[in-house]
Amino acid sequence: MSQTSDTLGRPLRDLRISVTDRCNFRCAYCMPKEVFGKDFAFMERSHLLKFGEITSIVKAAVPLGVRKVRLTGGEPLLRKELEWLVSGLKAIDGIEDIALTTNGSMLVQKAQALADAGLDRVTVSLDSLNDETFRAMNDVNFPVARVLAGIDAAIDAGLTPVKINMVVKRGMNDDDVVEMARHFRGKPVILRFIEYMDVGMKNGWRLEDVVPAGEILKRVAADVALEPIEANYEGETALRYRYADGEGEIGFIASVTKPFCATCHRARLSADGKLFTCLFAGQGHDLKTLIRDQNASVEQLRDALAAIWRVRTDRYSEIRSDDTGDLPRVEMSYIGG
Ligand code: SF4
């Protein structure tokens, strides 16, 4: 397998593609309503990469080692006819896995069409089963029942195991972690608890609001026996545990307390065609101009991607400290999680 490595020897394997900067939720840790209000200037449609342009970039990335693509947003299902992009990506030789991260609000309508188009897996963000807490956290009063129905639709469509991402914030939803584990145990679902992160510059992040993965683990393990299990592959972000009674698996994504930068092989593409080499990067590399103004071929895009990755030094989570708080960081809603 050909590969291109960065300055820390990390190969490029995983490309996360944001297809829109818009979302129908306003989760405070990602897209606080005060900032992303009704007057916020979201990208114009003409600035978004077209599906054909995204497909060219993915084709260019395969010879460098990319095997997995994840579609993100904002909320990717707001982008119309996304199944066309999925089927286009599925046709690319070398792409082994296509996943989608969504808030689940439109999965009931979309799950089957996406699965038919070739989507392999889906990850649903779900921060509480408590309807009041969930409505408060998405800040648009969206009922949890409709997301749970979306998860069932994804399971019925065969997009399994469905992964569930719960961002845990102290004083907000940390009392719900045991209930979440009980609810999804024994289902074709892998629940992952995510430490609250200082993504972007707008979410008012404080370290004291982080519930360390170790503490969440203790709470769940006090309720049901867990056993640690090996990672599926090098660079997997979740620390995996299985229920001792065999009723499935859960995970912990501990970017704050147990950084995993040493094996990070993810790049992110914004909806307007900028490549970011870290979730906490301040700047991206403009690929859209290469495509639209310079008619770059797939080979020229490949060389541009390789040149960007080879000089990559990012390891933000390892260097996170009181001094890094003011470092400019791109908004997560702009490049996807
Ligand atoms: S902080 Fe950046 S380099 Fe570290 S794991 Fe996250 S995306 Fe990768």
Coordinates of all heavy atoms in Angstrom, one line a residue, residues 10 260-261 264 266 268 277-280 312 314-317, ligand 1:
R10 N 3.3 10.0 10.4 CA 1.9 9.5 10.4 C 1.4 9.5 9.0 O 1.4 10.5 8.3 CB 1.0 10.5 11.3 CG 1.4 10.5 12.7 CD 0.8 11.7 13.5 NE 1.2 13.0 13.0 CZ 0.8 14.1 13.6 NH1 0.0 14.1 14.6 NH2 1.3 15.3 13.1
F260 N -4.5 11.5 21.3 CA -4.1 10.4 20.4 C -3.5 11.0 19.1 O -3.6 10.4 18.0 CB -5.3 9.5 20.1 CG -6.6 10.3 20.0 CD1 -7.0 11.0 18.9 CD2 -7.5 10.3 21.1 CE1 -8.2 11.7 18.8 CE2 -8.7 11.0 21.0 CZ -9.1 11.7 19.9
C261 N -2.8 12.1 19.3 CA -2.2 12.8 18.1 C -1.1 11.9 17.4 O -0.9 11.9 16.2 CB -1.6 14.1 18.5 SG -2.8 15.2 19.2
C264 N -2.6 10.0 14.6 CA -3.7 10.7 13.9 C -3.4 10.7 12.4 O -2.4 11.4 12.0 CB -3.9 12.1 14.5 SG -5.1 13.0 13.5
R266 N -5.8 11.7 10.1 CA -7.0 12.3 9.5 C -6.7 13.7 9.0 O -6.1 14.5 9.6 CB -8.0 12.5 10.7 CG -8.6 11.2 11.1 CD -9.5 11.3 12.4 NE -8.7 11.7 13.5 CZ -8.0 10.8 14.2 NH1 -8.0 9.5 13.9 NH2 -7.3 11.1 15.3
R268 N -9.0 16.9 7.0 CA -10.4 17.4 6.9 C -10.5 18.4 5.8 O -9.7 19.3 5.6 CB -10.9 18.0 8.2 CG -11.0 17.0 9.3 CD -11.3 17.7 10.7 NE -11.6 16.7 11.7 CZ -10.7 16.0 12.4 NH1 -9.4 16.1 12.1 NH2 -11.1 15.1 13.3
T277 N -5.3 20.0 8.4 CA -4.6 18.9 8.8 C -4.8 18.6 10.3 O -4.1 17.7 10.8 CB -3.1 19.0 8.5 OG1 -2.6 20.3 9.0 CG2 -2.8 19.0 7.0
C278 N -5.7 19.3 10.9 CA -6.0 19.1 12.4 C -7.3 19.7 12.7 O -7.6 20.8 12.1 CB -4.9 19.7 13.3 SG -5.2 19.6 15.0
L279 N -8.1 19.1 13.6 CA -9.4 19.6 14.0 C -9.2 21.0 14.6 O -10.1 21.8 14.6 CB -10.0 18.6 15.0 CG -11.3 19.0 15.7 CD1 -12.4 19.2 14.6 CD2 -11.8 17.9 16.6
F280 N -8.0 21.2 15.2 CA -7.8 22.5 15.9 C -6.9 23.4 15.2 O -6.3 24.4 15.7 CB -7.2 22.2 17.3 CG -8.0 21.3 18.2 CD1 -7.9 19.9 18.2 CD2 -9.0 21.9 19.0 CE1 -8.7 19.1 18.9 CE2 -9.8 21.1 19.8 CZ -9.6 19.7 19.8
R312 N 3.2 18.4 7.5 CA 2.3 18.4 8.7 C 3.0 18.2 10.0 O 3.8 17.3 10.1 CB 1.2 17.4 8.5 CG 0.1 17.4 9.6 CD -0.7 16.1 9.5 NE -1.8 16.1 10.5 CZ -2.2 15.0 11.1 NH1 -1.5 13.8 10.9 NH2 -3.2 15.0 11.9
D314 N 1.0 19.0 13.1 CA 0.0 19.1 14.1 C 0.0 18.1 15.2 O 0.1 16.9 14.9 CB -1.4 19.1 13.4 CG -1.6 20.1 12.3 OD1 -1.9 21.3 12.6 OD2 -1.3 19.8 11.2
R315 N -0.3 18.5 16.4 CA -0.5 17.6 17.5 C -1.1 18.5 18.7 O -0.7 18.4 19.8 CB 0.7 16.9 18.0 CG 1.9 17.8 18.3 CD 3.2 17.0 18.5 NE 4.3 17.8 19.1 CZ 4.4 18.0 20.4 NH1 3.7 17.3 21.2 NH2 5.4 18.8 20.9
Y316 N -2.1 19.2 18.3 CA -2.7 20.2 19.3 C -3.1 19.6 20.6 O -2.8 20.1 21.7 CB -4.0 20.8 18.7 CG -4.6 21.8 19.6 CD1 -4.2 23.1 19.7 CD2 -5.6 21.4 20.5 CE1 -4.8 24.0 20.6 CE2 -6.2 22.2 21.4 CZ -5.8 23.5 21.5 OH -6.3 24.4 22.4
S317 N -3.7 18.4 20.6 CA -4.2 17.9 21.9 C -3.0 17.5 22.8 O -3.2 17.5 24.0 CB -5.1 16.6 21.6 OG -6.3 17.1 21.1
Ligands
SF4_1 S1 -5.6 17.3 17.9 FE1 -5.2 17.3 15.7 S2 -3.4 16.0 15.4 FE2 -4.3 15.6 17.4 S3 -5.7 13.9 17.1 FE3 -6.9 15.7 16.9 S4 -6.9 16.2 14.7 FE4 -5.2 14.8 15.1

